[in-house]
Amino acid sequence: MYEIRIIARVLNRTAHALFLGFLTVAVLEAAAQPAPPAPVISPEVRSDDRVTFRFRDPSAQKVELRLEGRTTAIEMQKDDSGVWSASTDPLEPDYYGYSFVADGVALIDPSNPLMKPNLLNTQSMVHVPGASSLPWEVNEVPHGVVHHHFYKSGVVGDQRDYYVYTPPDYDGAAKKNYPVLYLLHGYSDAANGWTAVGMANVILDNLIAQRKARPMIVVMTLGYGDLKMLDRGFGAFRDDDLRQRNLKNYRQALLTEVIPQVEREYRALKDRKSRAIAGLSMGGSESLFVGLTSLDHFAWIGAFSTGGLSENLDQQFAEMKAEDAAKLDLLWIACGTEDRLIDTNRKIRQWLSSKGVKHTDIETPGAHTWMVWRRNLSAFAPLLFQNGK
């Protein structure tokens, strides 16, 4: 027994020595490792509204910053630690999408969790905060709720989604019913474009709190009647058959699937005077096409930076009855003066005038950007349902 105890003590001492040896080696190896680089701070919004963007890539030969609202890229400079940086001039308070282009490859900012989702070109996003009076700034006001729905479309033949904003005073158990705005995104966006990027729910919260807009339900759908539109990229708009199929299938899915579901599940008014449709870019063309060919459903139409219609408008709107279109409560057509689609929008307005269809023409500074469309929605929503129930 004594011998066994001696052996046990020797083994314990040996194990302890081995442990200390391994620990010493581990400590020495850890000490030999270079310290991890300091975290990259990007974007950095300064008090004067200048923004500095940073991106670590020691091996890159050239890195540029692409910033929403700018027509040219900003060249970034690399420091001794391999971090590239660029600073802007003061930016107007708003949300801006951006990406880094490293040796020709577009990349998101790995240091920034704020994203601008997109089905073809996801970017990062930076918020330059402004006064509380700006419609897209979150304020201490009553907030509505954004609901996310999924369904199988028999028209398009896929699983798809849509979002529904209900205003702050909405109560599904109460007897009060609300008018509905169907709000459509642009090409390459998903159904969440107007909430994730356009801040539509925040804009409506603020307008309703300020009594500038009537409390309303807002429905934001997936805007593709044929998903081949995405497979083909922007070249899809050169395929007249595909473009027209996209418009017609979207109209059918909206009228026969989405609207009936919304009106079953929400306290929505169901007459045309209580329905509006509006959208941006591709969503603007869908709003005009669906609205002007479904005048029994909609009395209010808005189109922001419309793009994607046929140049032959007589053919495109062959189903429109001009005498009924003339009775619309509002046909509101807006576009930025620096937008590549400004001439297209002017031609649409001229064509409507030739048909005797009254419309409101809006031209504002700006290009084909969300900065323009947030302002469009902020100006358009207060005009809706003012003579309704």
Side-chain angles (χ1 to χ4, degrees), residues 205-233:
D205 285 346
N206 288 329
L207 292 175
I208 292 169
Q210 297 163 10
R211 299 182 181 273
K212 291 181 178 179
R214 282 191 61 186
M216 66 184 77
I217 296 169
V218 183
V219 180
M220 294 154 281
T221 68
L222 185 66
Y224 305 98
D226 190 324
L227 289 179
K228 289 181 180 177
M229 290 291 295
L230 290 169
D231 297 339
R232 303 273 187 89

PDB file of all heavy atoms in Angstrom, residues 205-233:
ATOM      1  N   ASP A 205     -46.371  57.339 -39.590  1.00  0.00           N
ATOM      2  CA  ASP A 205     -46.503  57.647 -38.158  1.00  0.00           C
ATOM      3  C   ASP A 205     -46.438  59.156 -37.922  1.00  0.00           C
ATOM      4  O   ASP A 205     -47.273  59.729 -37.203  1.00  0.00           O
ATOM      5  CB  ASP A 205     -45.372  56.983 -37.362  1.00  0.00           C
ATOM      6  CG  ASP A 205     -45.542  55.485 -37.185  1.00  0.00           C
ATOM      7  OD1 ASP A 205     -46.650  54.973 -37.446  1.00  0.00           O
ATOM      8  OD2 ASP A 205     -44.555  54.840 -36.788  1.00  0.00           O
ATOM      9  N   ASN A 206     -45.440  59.790 -38.513  1.00  0.00           N
ATOM     10  CA  ASN A 206     -45.245  61.223 -38.283  1.00  0.00           C
ATOM     11  C   ASN A 206     -46.362  62.056 -38.900  1.00  0.00           C
ATOM     12  O   ASN A 206     -46.866  63.002 -38.276  1.00  0.00           O
ATOM     13  CB  ASN A 206     -43.883  61.655 -38.837  1.00  0.00           C
ATOM     14  CG  ASN A 206     -42.727  61.149 -38.000  1.00  0.00           C
ATOM     15  OD1 ASN A 206     -42.844  60.984 -36.787  1.00  0.00           O
ATOM     16  ND2 ASN A 206     -41.595  60.895 -38.635  1.00  0.00           N
ATOM     17  N   LEU A 207     -46.747  61.737 -40.125  1.00  0.00           N
ATOM     18  CA  LEU A 207     -47.799  62.510 -40.788  1.00  0.00           C
ATOM     19  C   LEU A 207     -49.126  62.387 -40.049  1.00  0.00           C
ATOM     20  O   LEU A 207     -49.869  63.370 -39.899  1.00  0.00           O
ATOM     21  CB  LEU A 207     -47.955  62.045 -42.233  1.00  0.00           C
ATOM     22  CG  LEU A 207     -46.793  62.352 -43.188  1.00  0.00           C
ATOM     23  CD1 LEU A 207     -47.052  61.720 -44.553  1.00  0.00           C
ATOM     24  CD2 LEU A 207     -46.578  63.856 -43.332  1.00  0.00           C
ATOM     25  N   ILE A 208     -49.430  61.175 -39.588  1.00  0.00           N
ATOM     26  CA  ILE A 208     -50.682  60.971 -38.860  1.00  0.00           C
ATOM     27  C   ILE A 208     -50.647  61.698 -37.518  1.00  0.00           C
ATOM     28  O   ILE A 208     -51.632  62.332 -37.114  1.00  0.00           O
ATOM     29  CB  ILE A 208     -50.943  59.459 -38.685  1.00  0.00           C
ATOM     30  CG1 ILE A 208     -51.248  58.809 -40.047  1.00  0.00           C
ATOM     31  CG2 ILE A 208     -52.105  59.217 -37.713  1.00  0.00           C
ATOM     32  CD1 ILE A 208     -51.259  57.295 -40.022  1.00  0.00           C
ATOM     33  N   ALA A 209     -49.508  61.636 -36.825  1.00  0.00           N
ATOM     34  CA  ALA A 209     -49.393  62.319 -35.530  1.00  0.00           C
ATOM     35  C   ALA A 209     -49.549  63.825 -35.679  1.00  0.00           C
ATOM     36  O   ALA A 209     -50.100  64.496 -34.797  1.00  0.00           O
ATOM     37  CB  ALA A 209     -48.043  61.983 -34.887  1.00  0.00           C
ATOM     38  N   GLN A 210     -49.074  64.358 -36.808  1.00  0.00           N
ATOM     39  CA  GLN A 210     -49.176  65.798 -37.058  1.00  0.00           C
ATOM     40  C   GLN A 210     -50.510  66.186 -37.699  1.00  0.00           C
ATOM     41  O   GLN A 210     -50.713  67.352 -38.023  1.00  0.00           O
ATOM     42  CB  GLN A 210     -48.028  66.227 -37.979  1.00  0.00           C
ATOM     43  CG  GLN A 210     -46.651  66.028 -37.374  1.00  0.00           C
ATOM     44  CD  GLN A 210     -45.543  66.054 -38.422  1.00  0.00           C
ATOM     45  OE1 GLN A 210     -45.766  66.388 -39.577  1.00  0.00           O
ATOM     46  NE2 GLN A 210     -44.338  65.703 -38.006  1.00  0.00           N
ATOM     47  N   ARG A 211     -51.391  65.211 -37.868  1.00  0.00           N
ATOM     48  CA  ARG A 211     -52.695  65.415 -38.507  1.00  0.00           C
ATOM     49  C   ARG A 211     -52.563  65.939 -39.936  1.00  0.00           C
ATOM     50  O   ARG A 211     -53.445  66.635 -40.446  1.00  0.00           O
ATOM     51  CB  ARG A 211     -53.575  66.358 -37.670  1.00  0.00           C
ATOM     52  CG  ARG A 211     -53.878  65.841 -36.269  1.00  0.00           C
ATOM     53  CD  ARG A 211     -54.788  66.790 -35.500  1.00  0.00           C
ATOM     54  NE  ARG A 211     -55.050  66.315 -34.166  1.00  0.00           N
ATOM     55  CZ  ARG A 211     -56.039  65.474 -33.833  1.00  0.00           C
ATOM     56  NH1 ARG A 211     -56.853  65.023 -34.771  1.00  0.00           N
ATOM     57  NH2 ARG A 211     -56.201  65.090 -32.574  1.00  0.00           N
ATOM     58  N   LYS A 212     -51.458  65.582 -40.577  1.00  0.00           N
ATOM     59  CA  LYS A 212     -51.266  65.962 -41.973  1.00  0.00           C
ATOM     60  C   LYS A 212     -51.818  64.909 -42.928  1.00  0.00           C
ATOM     61  O   LYS A 212     -52.032  65.200 -44.110  1.00  0.00           O
ATOM     62  CB  LYS A 212     -49.780  66.191 -42.255  1.00  0.00           C
ATOM     63  CG  LYS A 212     -49.197  67.419 -41.565  1.00  0.00           C
ATOM     64  CD  LYS A 212     -47.728  67.589 -41.926  1.00  0.00           C
ATOM     65  CE  LYS A 212     -47.139  68.835 -41.281  1.00  0.00           C
ATOM     66  NZ  LYS A 212     -45.687  68.993 -41.608  1.00  0.00           N
ATOM     67  N   ALA A 213     -51.995  63.694 -42.446  1.00  0.00           N
ATOM     68  CA  ALA A 213     -52.530  62.615 -43.263  1.00  0.00           C
ATOM     69  C   ALA A 213     -53.581  61.861 -42.469  1.00  0.00           C
ATOM     70  O   ALA A 213     -53.500  61.759 -41.244  1.00  0.00           O
ATOM     71  CB  ALA A 213     -51.421  61.652 -43.677  1.00  0.00           C
ATOM     72  N   ARG A 214     -54.565  61.332 -43.204  1.00  0.00           N
ATOM     73  CA  ARG A 214     -55.581  60.514 -42.547  1.00  0.00           C
ATOM     74  C   ARG A 214     -54.979  59.185 -42.108  1.00  0.00           C
ATOM     75  O   ARG A 214     -54.116  58.626 -42.807  1.00  0.00           O
ATOM     76  CB  ARG A 214     -56.730  60.228 -43.516  1.00  0.00           C
ATOM     77  CG  ARG A 214     -57.691  61.376 -43.707  1.00  0.00           C
ATOM     78  CD  ARG A 214     -58.929  60.904 -44.456  1.00  0.00           C
ATOM     79  NE  ARG A 214     -59.650  59.862 -43.727  1.00  0.00           N
ATOM     80  CZ  ARG A 214     -60.710  59.192 -44.207  1.00  0.00           C
ATOM     81  NH1 ARG A 214     -61.157  59.458 -45.432  1.00  0.00           N
ATOM     82  NH2 ARG A 214     -61.311  58.275 -43.497  1.00  0.00           N
ATOM     83  N   PRO A 215     -55.378  58.642 -40.983  1.00  0.00           N
ATOM     84  CA  PRO A 215     -54.955  57.284 -40.645  1.00  0.00           C
ATOM     85  C   PRO A 215     -55.380  56.329 -41.759  1.00  0.00           C
ATOM     86  O   PRO A 215     -56.533  56.344 -42.208  1.00  0.00           O
ATOM     87  CB  PRO A 215     -55.701  56.991 -39.342  1.00  0.00           C
ATOM     88  CG  PRO A 215     -55.952  58.344 -38.748  1.00  0.00           C
ATOM     89  CD  PRO A 215     -56.211  59.244 -39.915  1.00  0.00           C
ATOM     90  N   MET A 216     -54.445  55.530 -42.220  1.00  0.00           N
ATOM     91  CA  MET A 216     -54.721  54.619 -43.336  1.00  0.00           C
ATOM     92  C   MET A 216     -53.933  53.334 -43.163  1.00  0.00           C
ATOM     93  O   MET A 216     -52.911  53.297 -42.461  1.00  0.00           O
ATOM     94  CB  MET A 216     -54.361  55.280 -44.667  1.00  0.00           C
ATOM     95  CG  MET A 216     -52.871  55.554 -44.859  1.00  0.00           C
ATOM     96  SD  MET A 216     -52.478  56.454 -46.397  1.00  0.00           S
ATOM     97  CE  MET A 216     -52.960  58.131 -45.941  1.00  0.00           C
ATOM     98  N   ILE A 217     -54.413  52.302 -43.805  1.00  0.00           N
ATOM     99  CA  ILE A 217     -53.671  51.053 -43.933  1.00  0.00           C
ATOM    100  C   ILE A 217     -52.795  51.175 -45.179  1.00  0.00           C
ATOM    101  O   ILE A 217     -53.221  51.730 -46.194  1.00  0.00           O
ATOM    102  CB  ILE A 217     -54.639  49.857 -44.055  1.00  0.00           C
ATOM    103  CG1 ILE A 217     -55.460  49.698 -42.770  1.00  0.00           C
ATOM    104  CG2 ILE A 217     -53.893  48.576 -44.381  1.00  0.00           C
ATOM    105  CD1 ILE A 217     -56.613  48.718 -42.902  1.00  0.00           C
ATOM    106  N   VAL A 218     -51.562  50.674 -45.100  1.00  0.00           N
ATOM    107  CA  VAL A 218     -50.670  50.673 -46.259  1.00  0.00           C
ATOM    108  C   VAL A 218     -50.239  49.237 -46.535  1.00  0.00           C
ATOM    109  O   VAL A 218     -49.739  48.558 -45.631  1.00  0.00           O
ATOM    110  CB  VAL A 218     -49.434  51.562 -46.033  1.00  0.00           C
ATOM    111  CG1 VAL A 218     -48.565  51.587 -47.294  1.00  0.00           C
ATOM    112  CG2 VAL A 218     -49.850  52.982 -45.660  1.00  0.00           C
ATOM    113  N   VAL A 219     -50.458  48.790 -47.764  1.00  0.00           N
ATOM    114  CA  VAL A 219     -50.115  47.421 -48.160  1.00  0.00           C
ATOM    115  C   VAL A 219     -48.960  47.481 -49.152  1.00  0.00           C
ATOM    116  O   VAL A 219     -49.031  48.181 -50.166  1.00  0.00           O
ATOM    117  CB  VAL A 219     -51.322  46.707 -48.802  1.00  0.00           C
ATOM    118  CG1 VAL A 219     -50.943  45.284 -49.219  1.00  0.00           C
ATOM    119  CG2 VAL A 219     -52.497  46.684 -47.828  1.00  0.00           C
ATOM    120  N   MET A 220     -47.884  46.767 -48.839  1.00  0.00           N
ATOM    121  CA  MET A 220     -46.674  46.780 -49.669  1.00  0.00           C
ATOM    122  C   MET A 220     -46.415  45.362 -50.166  1.00  0.00           C
ATOM    123  O   MET A 220     -46.088  44.477 -49.386  1.00  0.00           O
ATOM    124  CB  MET A 220     -45.500  47.321 -48.853  1.00  0.00           C
ATOM    125  CG  MET A 220     -45.688  48.793 -48.472  1.00  0.00           C
ATOM    126  SD  MET A 220     -44.817  49.339 -46.977  1.00  0.00           S
ATOM    127  CE  MET A 220     -45.921  48.716 -45.684  1.00  0.00           C
ATOM    128  N   THR A 221     -46.600  45.160 -51.457  1.00  0.00           N
ATOM    129  CA  THR A 221     -46.568  43.821 -52.042  1.00  0.00           C
ATOM    130  C   THR A 221     -45.258  43.531 -52.749  1.00  0.00           C
ATOM    131  O   THR A 221     -44.464  44.429 -53.021  1.00  0.00           O
ATOM    132  CB  THR A 221     -47.700  43.677 -53.083  1.00  0.00           C
ATOM    133  OG1 THR A 221     -47.398  44.518 -54.207  1.00  0.00           O
ATOM    134  CG2 THR A 221     -49.034  44.098 -52.507  1.00  0.00           C
ATOM    135  N   LEU A 222     -45.045  42.254 -53.094  1.00  0.00           N
ATOM    136  CA  LEU A 222     -43.954  41.885 -53.990  1.00  0.00           C
ATOM    137  C   LEU A 222     -44.401  42.232 -55.404  1.00  0.00           C
ATOM    138  O   LEU A 222     -45.434  41.752 -55.878  1.00  0.00           O
ATOM    139  CB  LEU A 222     -43.639  40.395 -53.872  1.00  0.00           C
ATOM    140  CG  LEU A 222     -42.420  39.918 -54.680  1.00  0.00           C
ATOM    141  CD1 LEU A 222     -41.135  40.540 -54.146  1.00  0.00           C
ATOM    142  CD2 LEU A 222     -42.325  38.404 -54.657  1.00  0.00           C
ATOM    143  N   GLY A 223     -43.622  43.052 -56.109  1.00  0.00           N
ATOM    144  CA  GLY A 223     -44.122  43.675 -57.328  1.00  0.00           C
ATOM    145  C   GLY A 223     -43.774  42.991 -58.630  1.00  0.00           C
ATOM    146  O   GLY A 223     -43.659  43.675 -59.655  1.00  0.00           O
ATOM    147  N   TYR A 224     -43.604  41.673 -58.629  1.00  0.00           N
ATOM    148  CA  TYR A 224     -43.252  40.981 -59.869  1.00  0.00           C
ATOM    149  C   TYR A 224     -44.372  40.042 -60.282  1.00  0.00           C
ATOM    150  O   TYR A 224     -44.730  39.122 -59.544  1.00  0.00           O
ATOM    151  CB  TYR A 224     -41.949  40.189 -59.698  1.00  0.00           C
ATOM    152  CG  TYR A 224     -40.809  41.049 -59.208  1.00  0.00           C
ATOM    153  CD1 TYR A 224     -40.465  41.063 -57.851  1.00  0.00           C
ATOM    154  CD2 TYR A 224     -40.113  41.888 -60.075  1.00  0.00           C
ATOM    155  CE1 TYR A 224     -39.453  41.872 -57.384  1.00  0.00           C
ATOM    156  CE2 TYR A 224     -39.101  42.712 -59.603  1.00  0.00           C
ATOM    157  CZ  TYR A 224     -38.773  42.697 -58.260  1.00  0.00           C
ATOM    158  OH  TYR A 224     -37.777  43.508 -57.791  1.00  0.00           O
ATOM    159  N   GLY A 225     -44.885  40.260 -61.479  1.00  0.00           N
ATOM    160  CA  GLY A 225     -45.874  39.340 -62.024  1.00  0.00           C
ATOM    161  C   GLY A 225     -45.226  38.164 -62.715  1.00  0.00           C
ATOM    162  O   GLY A 225     -45.894  37.187 -63.055  1.00  0.00           O
ATOM    163  N   ASP A 226     -43.927  38.264 -62.950  1.00  0.00           N
ATOM    164  CA  ASP A 226     -43.148  37.173 -63.544  1.00  0.00           C
ATOM    165  C   ASP A 226     -41.717  37.333 -63.026  1.00  0.00           C
ATOM    166  O   ASP A 226     -41.059  38.336 -63.300  1.00  0.00           O
ATOM    167  CB  ASP A 226     -43.185  37.255 -65.070  1.00  0.00           C
ATOM    168  CG  ASP A 226     -42.601  36.010 -65.732  1.00  0.00           C
ATOM    169  OD1 ASP A 226     -41.628  35.453 -65.193  1.00  0.00           O
ATOM    170  OD2 ASP A 226     -43.104  35.601 -66.796  1.00  0.00           O
ATOM    171  N   LEU A 227     -41.226  36.340 -62.295  1.00  0.00           N
ATOM    172  CA  LEU A 227     -39.895  36.445 -61.691  1.00  0.00           C
ATOM    173  C   LEU A 227     -38.769  36.378 -62.719  1.00  0.00           C
ATOM    174  O   LEU A 227     -37.605  36.623 -62.384  1.00  0.00           O
ATOM    175  CB  LEU A 227     -39.712  35.357 -60.634  1.00  0.00           C
ATOM    176  CG  LEU A 227     -40.535  35.569 -59.357  1.00  0.00           C
ATOM    177  CD1 LEU A 227     -40.311  34.420 -58.380  1.00  0.00           C
ATOM    178  CD2 LEU A 227     -40.204  36.891 -58.691  1.00  0.00           C
ATOM    179  N   LYS A 228     -39.102  36.076 -63.985  1.00  0.00           N
ATOM    180  CA  LYS A 228     -38.082  36.157 -65.029  1.00  0.00           C
ATOM    181  C   LYS A 228     -37.589  37.586 -65.197  1.00  0.00           C
ATOM    182  O   LYS A 228     -36.516  37.811 -65.766  1.00  0.00           O
ATOM    183  CB  LYS A 228     -38.633  35.627 -66.353  1.00  0.00           C
ATOM    184  CG  LYS A 228     -38.840  34.121 -66.372  1.00  0.00           C
ATOM    185  CD  LYS A 228     -39.362  33.660 -67.723  1.00  0.00           C
ATOM    186  CE  LYS A 228     -39.573  32.145 -67.722  1.00  0.00           C
ATOM    187  NZ  LYS A 228     -40.144  31.666 -69.015  1.00  0.00           N
ATOM    188  N   MET A 229     -38.369  38.544 -64.719  1.00  0.00           N
ATOM    189  CA  MET A 229     -37.912  39.928 -64.736  1.00  0.00           C
ATOM    190  C   MET A 229     -36.592  40.069 -63.991  1.00  0.00           C
ATOM    191  O   MET A 229     -35.706  40.825 -64.397  1.00  0.00           O
ATOM    192  CB  MET A 229     -38.964  40.842 -64.106  1.00  0.00           C
ATOM    193  CG  MET A 229     -40.236  41.020 -64.905  1.00  0.00           C
ATOM    194  SD  MET A 229     -40.013  41.964 -66.432  1.00  0.00           S
ATOM    195  CE  MET A 229     -39.563  43.582 -65.811  1.00  0.00           C
ATOM    196  N   LEU A 230     -36.437  39.339 -62.899  1.00  0.00           N
ATOM    197  CA  LEU A 230     -35.199  39.397 -62.132  1.00  0.00           C
ATOM    198  C   LEU A 230     -34.092  38.579 -62.784  1.00  0.00           C
ATOM    199  O   LEU A 230     -32.926  38.977 -62.778  1.00  0.00           O
ATOM    200  CB  LEU A 230     -35.444  38.900 -60.707  1.00  0.00           C
ATOM    201  CG  LEU A 230     -36.299  39.805 -59.819  1.00  0.00           C
ATOM    202  CD1 LEU A 230     -36.676  39.079 -58.540  1.00  0.00           C
ATOM    203  CD2 LEU A 230     -35.564  41.093 -59.492  1.00  0.00           C
ATOM    204  N   ASP A 231     -34.451  37.438 -63.378  1.00  0.00           N
ATOM    205  CA  ASP A 231     -33.451  36.581 -64.019  1.00  0.00           C
ATOM    206  C   ASP A 231     -32.755  37.299 -65.175  1.00  0.00           C
ATOM    207  O   ASP A 231     -31.572  37.084 -65.425  1.00  0.00           O
ATOM    208  CB  ASP A 231     -34.104  35.300 -64.549  1.00  0.00           C
ATOM    209  CG  ASP A 231     -34.689  34.441 -63.448  1.00  0.00           C
ATOM    210  OD1 ASP A 231     -34.261  34.601 -62.289  1.00  0.00           O
ATOM    211  OD2 ASP A 231     -35.578  33.618 -63.737  1.00  0.00           O
ATOM    212  N   ARG A 232     -33.483  38.151 -65.863  1.00  0.00           N
ATOM    213  CA  ARG A 232     -32.941  38.829 -67.049  1.00  0.00           C
ATOM    214  C   ARG A 232     -32.201  40.119 -66.704  1.00  0.00           C
ATOM    215  O   ARG A 232     -31.598  40.732 -67.579  1.00  0.00           O
ATOM    216  CB  ARG A 232     -34.089  39.162 -68.011  1.00  0.00           C
ATOM    217  CG  ARG A 232     -34.930  37.975 -68.460  1.00  0.00           C
ATOM    218  CD  ARG A 232     -34.346  37.295 -69.678  1.00  0.00           C
ATOM    219  NE  ARG A 232     -35.264  36.279 -70.161  1.00  0.00           N
ATOM    220  CZ  ARG A 232     -36.235  36.498 -71.053  1.00  0.00           C
ATOM    221  NH1 ARG A 232     -36.410  37.728 -71.531  1.00  0.00           N
ATOM    222  NH2 ARG A 232     -37.018  35.526 -71.451  1.00  0.00           N
ATOM    223  N   GLY A 233     -32.265  40.570 -65.460  1.00  0.00           N
ATOM    224  CA  GLY A 233     -31.665  41.848 -65.130  1.00  0.00           C
ATOM    225  C   GLY A 233     -32.422  42.981 -65.800  1.00  0.00           C
ATOM    226  O   GLY A 233     -33.563  42.825 -66.245  1.00  0.00           O
TER     227      GLY A 233
END
